[in-house]
């Protein structure tokens, strides 16, 4: 209940029975989530294609960033509850957030350090420093405001508006998914555009700039509603009280470690000299749930690779869906689409059907199945990777180099190379000992022209102009998107056209032979085509099964896990378990970068199988832990303690056990009647 009714006057303006202030909060959340997920959708490709990092480093930095985003909520909650309050915390950290997004956009402008105007930054240190600074500020901002915004929205309702508050939270989380879905569709399209002051390159600056603009809009909208908000004063942070109580208990137990001191029923009972017995009992309940959290990070280790390994996997696949050309980073949109579809199906169809079959599908059982589904998703990803590997060129190792031999004469040529058989090069052929390592976008192709004529030739198209190619000269590789492109070759006042249909991720060399006669019609049959790297042939649709499995796993694991945590947490410590839940996400992302750096498996499919195996092993451990967990109703245990606040230590211990037995015996949930605690076990 709000302490001062005067403070609620600011929130008195209502629209359809809802405080007007919450509409500013909802718009703020939508813009902020668009900003975060939009930037994150293209992040791993920015690392690989702009900063030129390898897959392992790009994956490691990506998951370090995500981990920080889930560590900083603890800091934000402490600052808001103990010092600044939710409103000021949101304002200050949103400013930090916006500055970080702007820094990311600036870091992606290649022209800033491209002094020689060749399309490649000359001072990569500047871009790396700017991007790392930006990511740190974003992690601090988005994580810091995460626990504050939803709670601040809930504060705007008075005690008699429970129904409106419930509706607000439903709309609030719909905005989260809506912002995520739209941003992961739009920002990859922005990234795929060409932009630049001097040279045209893929527009990461625009892909980061739009989310930065949305974050500024989010901040402005939130500030505009300032006069309408109810702003609760800081009340102190329960997480600090929990930590202090645990710390005092450990310290006190260490002081009384001699045999002359009588043992106590639980190690937390050593905090009784300073802390209330009810608080100690509540911490015991929390620790039981936190103990179950220990295996959970492994699920997030697999889940968050949608934005790293799976996106990199999609860069080697064909994204042509007929009328739609899907970018590799756009495949992430499958997850929020399936979330919006599967959640109502699970709640209204699957779970009721399971109950009708007489099965007691408890929350911990759901979470176990969710982990197995996530492991299955990585098995599916491994099978897709095997198919991709069959189509990839064999790149030279660090101890090898490439040799290309081009016969530009009219007659065959015989060559002798050390440790090789005699080579016969026919007219207009290329012999390649190793393929060049090149970076490719899924919708792009690299190609060049070689002029075998004795005169200069100008080659151009509507998309790219190679300029004049000198006799026996060659152009630089140029990048074009898929589709049919017509080139015009002109020399000595005459010209002809040459057309080519491009696939995805290929590399070609077009050789203009010395006997080509440029005429008024076409030179289609005269150009010799050398396919350096074949186009991607494995279709991106093959990723849909793994996305379906990981999303189904998310619904059973994440949604159920939050519900389970809420039901098993004491009334004043739900935020503590929320912080613990977010911590499992952070730890899971740290595991990814550890495995990526230490495993160093030569084949990507083997890494997918490794992650799947690790999750299955952890799932078995979790199921054993869940078997020995007894579901309780924290309200009943708290009620027992409130009746006996003056009991001594032994009586308190017996009271806790009695309350626990009664709660576990009487506790009923949507998942069945948990008689004597046995029907709930795995």
């Amino acid at each position: 209940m709000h302490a001062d009714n005067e403070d609620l006057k600011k929130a008195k303006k209502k629209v359809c029975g809802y405080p007007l202030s919450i509409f500013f909060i909802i718009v703020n959340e939508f813009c902020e989530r668009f900003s975060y997920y939009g930037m994150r959708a293209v992040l791993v490709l920015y690392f690989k294609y702009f900063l030129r990092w390898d897959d392992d480093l790009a994956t490691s930095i990506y998951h370090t960033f995500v981990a920080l985003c889930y560590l900083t909520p603890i800091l934000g909650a402490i600052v808001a509850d103990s010092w600044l309050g939710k409103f000021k915390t949101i304002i200050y950290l949103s400013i930090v957030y916006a500055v970080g997004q702007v820094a990311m956009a600036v870091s992606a402008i290649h022209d800033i350090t491209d002094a020689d105007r060749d399309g490649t930054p000359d001072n990569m240190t500047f871009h790396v420093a700017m991007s790392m600074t930006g990511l740190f500020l974003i992690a601090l901002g988005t994580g810091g405001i995460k626990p504050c915004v939803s709670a601040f929205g809930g504060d705007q309702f008075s005690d008699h508006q429970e129904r409106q508050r419930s509706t607000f939270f439903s709309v609030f989380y719909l905005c989260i998914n809506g912002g995520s879905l739209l941003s992961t569709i739009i920002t990859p399209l922005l990234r795929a555009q060409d932009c630049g002051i001097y040279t045209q390159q893929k527009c990461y600056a625009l892909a980061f700039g739009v989310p930065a603009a949305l974050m500024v809009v989010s901040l402005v909208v939130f500030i505009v509603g300032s006069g309408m908000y109810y702003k609760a004063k800081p009340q102190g942070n329960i997480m600090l009280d929990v930590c202090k109580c645990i710390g005092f208990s450990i310290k006190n137990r260490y002081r009384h470690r001699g045999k002359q001191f009588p043992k106590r029923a639980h190690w937390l009972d050593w905090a009784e000299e300073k802390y209330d017995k009810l608080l100690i009992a509540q911490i015991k309940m929390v620790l039981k749930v936190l103990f179950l959290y220990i295996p959970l990070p492994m699920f997030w280790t697999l889940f968050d690779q949608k934005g790293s390994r799976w996106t990199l996997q999609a860069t080697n696949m064909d994204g042509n869906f007929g009328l739609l050309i899907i970018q590799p980073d756009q495949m992430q949109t499958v997850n929020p689409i399936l979330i919006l579809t599967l959640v109502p199906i699970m709640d209204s169809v699957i779970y009721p059907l399971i109950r009708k079959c007489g099965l007691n599908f408890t929350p911990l059982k759901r979470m176990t199945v969710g982990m197995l589904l996530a492991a299955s998703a990585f098995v599916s990803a491994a099978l897709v990777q095997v198919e991709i590997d069959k189509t990839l060129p064999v790149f030279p190792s660090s101890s090898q180099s490439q040799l290309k031999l081009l016969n530009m004469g009219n007659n065959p040529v015989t060559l002798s190379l050390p440790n090789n058989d005699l080579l016969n090069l026919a007219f207009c052929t290329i012999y390649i000992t190793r393929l060049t390592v090149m970076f490719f976008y899924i919708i792009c192709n690299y190609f060049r022209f070689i002029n075998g004529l004795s005169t200069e030739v100008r080659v151009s198209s509507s998309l790219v102009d190679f300029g004049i190619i000198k006799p026996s000269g060659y152009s630089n590789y140029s990048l074009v998107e898929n589709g049919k492109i017509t080139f015009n070759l002109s020399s000595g006042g005459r010209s002809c056209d040459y057309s080519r249909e491009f696939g995805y991720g290929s590399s070609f060399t077009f050789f203009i032979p010395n006997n080509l006669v440029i005429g008024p019609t076409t030179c289609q049959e005269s150009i010799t085509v050398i396919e350096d790297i074949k186009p991607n042939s494995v279709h991106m649709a093959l990723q849909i099964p793994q996305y379906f499995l990981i999303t189904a796993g998310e619904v059973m694991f994440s949604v159920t896990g939050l519900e389970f945590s809420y039901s098993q947490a004491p009334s004043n410590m739900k935020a503590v378990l929320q912080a613990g839940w977010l911590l499992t996400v952070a730890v899971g992302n740290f595991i990814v970068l550890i495995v990526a750096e230490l495993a160093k498996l030569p084949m990507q499919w083997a890494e997918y199988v490794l992650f799947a195996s690790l999750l299955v092993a952890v799932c078995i451990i979790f199921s054993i832990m869940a078997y020995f967990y007894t579901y309780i109703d924290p309200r009943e245990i708290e009620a027992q303690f409130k009746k006996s606040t003056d009991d001594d230590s032994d009586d308190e211990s017996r009271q806790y056990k009695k309350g626990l037995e009664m709660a576990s015996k009487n506790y009923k949930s949507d998942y069945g009647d948990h008689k004597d605690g046995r029907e709930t076990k795995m």
Side-chain angles (χ1 to χ4, degrees):
M1 195 169 192
H2 296 306
D4 191 345
N5 288 331
E6 281 296 316
D7 292 339
L8 282 171
K9 288 183 178 179
K10 294 179 180 179
K12 283 272 180 129
K13 293 183 180 179
K14 292 182 174 59
V15 176
C16 300
Y18 294 87
L20 182 60
S21 57
I22 68 164
F23 294 96
F24 293 93
I25 297 172
I26 287 173
V27 174
N28 163 270
E29 181 66 11
F30 176 85
C31 294
E32 187 274 326
R33 290 291 86 185
F34 185 105
S35 177
Y36 173 72
Y37 284 108
M39 176 277 304
R40 181 172 149 177
V42 301
L43 187 59
V44 74
L45 297 188
Y46 167 76
F47 290 155
K48 181 173 182 179
Y49 295 119
F50 188 93
L51 299 183
R52 303 286 174 168
W53 291 348
D54 62 34
D55 287 3
D56 287 343
L57 181 58
T59 299
S60 297
I61 299 301
Y62 174 88
H63 287 285
T64 301
F65 165 70
V66 175
L68 287 175
C69 290
Y70 285 94
L71 282 176
T72 50
I74 299 174
L75 176 63
I78 293 174
V79 170
D81 292 342
S82 306
W83 180 28
L84 293 177
K86 298 183 188 73
F87 176 75
K88 288 183 179 179
T89 301
I90 295 171
I91 292 290
Y92 295 154
L93 290 181
S94 292
I95 294 173
V96 172
Y97 192 167
V99 171
Q101 290 282 33
V102 171
M104 283 298 298
V106 172
S107 75
I109 302 176
H110 66 276
D111 288 305
I112 292 179
T113 63
D114 187 13
D116 55 6
R117 300 184 182 180
D118 64 349
T120 304
D122 299 323
N123 182 9
M124 197 59 77
T125 303
F126 168 81
H127 296 279
V128 172
M130 283 293 293
S131 60
M132 294 303 101
T133 301
L135 289 177
F136 176 77
L137 295 177
I138 291 170
L140 184 61
T142 188
I145 68 175
K146 190 184 294 290
C148 301
V149 179
S150 59
F152 186 71
D155 288 345
Q156 307 309 306
F157 296 87
S158 56
D159 292 340
H160 67 277
Q161 292 181 301
E162 286 297 327
R163 182 183 62 82
Q164 290 91 335
R165 183 186 285 114
S166 176
T167 303
F168 161 74
F169 282 117
S170 298
V171 175
F172 185 85
Y173 288 109
L174 183 63
C175 286
I176 293 175
N177 283 285
S180 167
L181 179 60
L182 283 178
S183 62
T184 47
I185 293 173
I186 294 173
T187 52
L189 292 176
L190 299 176
R191 172 196 61 77
Q193 306 303 309
D194 292 327
C195 65
I197 302 172
Y198 306 118
T199 57
Q200 298 291 301
Q201 299 294 331
K202 290 302 167 185
C203 207
Y204 287 97
L206 184 60
F208 290 141
V210 170
L214 263 293
M215 190 58 226
V216 173
V217 171
S218 172
L219 176 60
V220 170
V221 168
F222 189 74
I223 293 175
V224 168
S226 175
M228 304 177 192
Y229 299 139
Y230 165 74
K231 303 165 188 173
K233 296 178 181 179
Q235 300 294 321
N237 194 288
I238 189 64
M239 284 189 289
L240 289 179
D241 294 337
V242 171
C243 293
K244 289 178 181 178
C245 181
I246 293 174
F248 178 80
S249 176
I250 295 172
K251 185 178 179 181
N252 198 33
R253 176 67 184 90
Y254 181 77
R255 287 175 178 173
H256 301 83
R257 60 187 181 276
K259 293 183 179 180
Q260 67 272 28
F261 299 104
K263 292 183 179 181
R264 300 190 183 183
H266 193 281
W267 62 271
L268 268 173
D269 294 336
W270 288 95
E272 287 177 347
E273 285 84 348
K274 185 175 181 181
Y275 292 93
D276 183 69
K277 295 175 182 178
L278 175 60
L279 175 65
I280 295 172
Q282 290 169 330
I283 295 176
K284 289 177 183 178
M285 288 185 271
V286 166
L287 291 181
K288 282 188 64 179
V289 179
L290 290 178
F291 177 71
L292 278 179
Y293 282 2
I294 293 175
L296 303 190
M298 201 65 216
F299 174 87
W300 301 112
T301 298
L302 276 68
F303 180 79
D304 279 331
Q305 290 190 58
K306 297 187 287 66
S308 56
R309 290 299 201 204
W310 286 12
T311 299
L312 293 173
Q313 183 186 64
T315 61
N316 293 313
M317 304 178 76
D318 182 356
N320 187 355
F321 283 79
L323 297 177
L324 293 175
I325 303 297
I326 301 297
Q327 305 287 332
D329 34 1
Q330 279 183 317
M331 280 301 291
Q332 298 174 59
T333 60
V334 175
N335 176 248
I337 291 173
L338 287 174
I339 279 285
L340 296 174
T341 306
L342 289 178
V343 168
I345 291 176
M346 290 286 192
D347 288 339
S348 60
V349 179
I350 304 298
Y351 295 152
L353 237 118
I354 293 175
R355 283 197 292 269
K356 283 185 178 180
C357 293
L359 299 175
N360 190 17
F361 202 32
T362 61
L364 295 180
K365 289 180 180 178
R366 292 185 192 179
M367 293 173 68
T368 303
V369 173
M371 296 169 84
L372 292 175
L373 286 172
S376 301
F378 266 64
V379 173
S380 176
L383 295 175
V384 172
Q385 189 64 47
V386 169
E387 293 301 311
I388 293 174
D389 290 346
K390 294 177 182 177
T391 67
L392 294 179
V394 179
F395 295 128
S397 67
S398 58
S399 61
Q400 295 173 323
S401 60
Q402 171 188 266
L403 174 64
K404 285 189 177 183
L405 303 174
L406 172 63
N407 180 9
M408 300 178 67
N410 294 323
N411 301 308
V413 175
T414 301
L415 296 174
S416 176
L417 296 175
N419 301 320
N420 281 274
D421 297 331
L422 291 177
L423 302 173
N424 293 312
L425 263 66
F427 167 59
C428 295
T429 61
I430 289 182
Y431 171 73
I432 307 175
T433 59
R434 289 289 175 180
L435 292 170
T436 307
V437 178
M438 303 182 68
F439 293 102
F440 294 98
Y441 294 97
I442 182 66
I443 64 162
C444 297
N445 307 271
Y446 281 90
F447 66 94
R448 64 175 178 173
F449 280 86
I450 296 178
N451 182 15
L453 296 173
S454 58
T455 58
E456 295 179 342
V457 177
R458 182 182 184 88
V459 181
S460 63
S461 72
S462 59
L463 299 176
V464 60
D465 186 354
F466 289 98
I468 295 175
I469 305 175
K470 295 182 179 180
S472 300
Y474 59 89
S475 68
N476 292 325
Y477 277 102
S478 291
L479 183 148
V480 294
E481 296 184 358
N482 68 297
K484 188 176 182 179
I485 300 177
T486 299
F487 301 94
N488 180 263
L489 285 67
S490 60
S491 177
R494 295 173 297 175
S495 66
C496 65
D497 291 336
Y498 172 75
S499 298
R500 178 75 187 185
E501 188 81 27
F502 290 94
Y504 301 82
S506 59
S507 176
F508 294 96
T509 295
F510 299 119
F511 179 64
I512 304 171
N514 59 11
N515 60 356
L516 172 67
V517 178
I518 298 179
T521 55
T522 179
C523 46
Q524 190 71 32
E525 304 300 326
S526 304
I527 302 296
T528 300
V529 180
I530 299 96
E531 192 176 57
D532 301 328
I533 296 179
K534 294 181 179 181
N536 300 333
S537 57
V538 179
H539 202 275
M540 212 179 285
L542 289 180
Q543 281 196 322
I544 293 177
Q546 65 200 57
Y547 271 99
F548 176 82
L549 289 169
I550 200 79
T551 305
E554 178 189 7
V555 172
M556 286 195 170
F557 180 88
S558 181
V559 177
T560 304
L562 289 171
E563 179 186 348
F564 166 77
S565 300
Y566 190 88
S567 70
Q568 299 296 286
S571 57
N572 63 334
M573 293 192 184
K574 299 187 186 297
V576 176
L577 283 184
Q578 176 71 9
W581 182 265
L582 295 175
L583 186 61
T584 66
V585 182
V587 174
N589 280 273
F590 281 127
I591 293 174
V592 179
L593 63 97
I594 292 172
V595 174
E597 290 299 321
L598 296 182
K600 297 293 184 183
L601 296 175
M603 304 301 292
Q604 184 58 52
W605 66 264
E607 184 180 288
Y608 289 144
V609 172
L610 172 62
F611 279 118
S613 302
L614 290 173
L615 184 56
V616 170
V618 167
C619 182
I620 294 172
I621 297 172
F622 177 75
S623 65
I624 295 172
M625 295 169 63
Y627 179 84
F628 293 99
Y629 182 84
T630 302
Y631 291 83
I632 61 171
D633 186 345
R635 291 173 298 181
E636 289 194 18
I637 296 178
E638 290 171 335
Q640 292 293 325
F641 272 88
K642 289 174 183 177
K643 293 178 182 178
S644 54
T645 54
D646 297 326
D647 289 344
D648 59 22
S649 176
D650 292 336
D651 289 339
E652 180 274 330
S653 179
R654 287 193 295 271
Q655 192 70 27
Y656 175 78
K657 291 179 180 178
K658 180 180 178 183
L660 182 62
E661 290 171 359
M662 292 182 62
S664 63
K665 183 177 181 180
N666 299 327
Y667 178 60
K668 296 181 180 180
S669 73
D670 294 336
Y671 319 110
D673 187 357
H674 308 310
K675 296 176 183 177
D676 73 16
R678 281 286 145 193
E679 289 188 9
T680 69
K681 295 179 180 178
M682 299 297 297

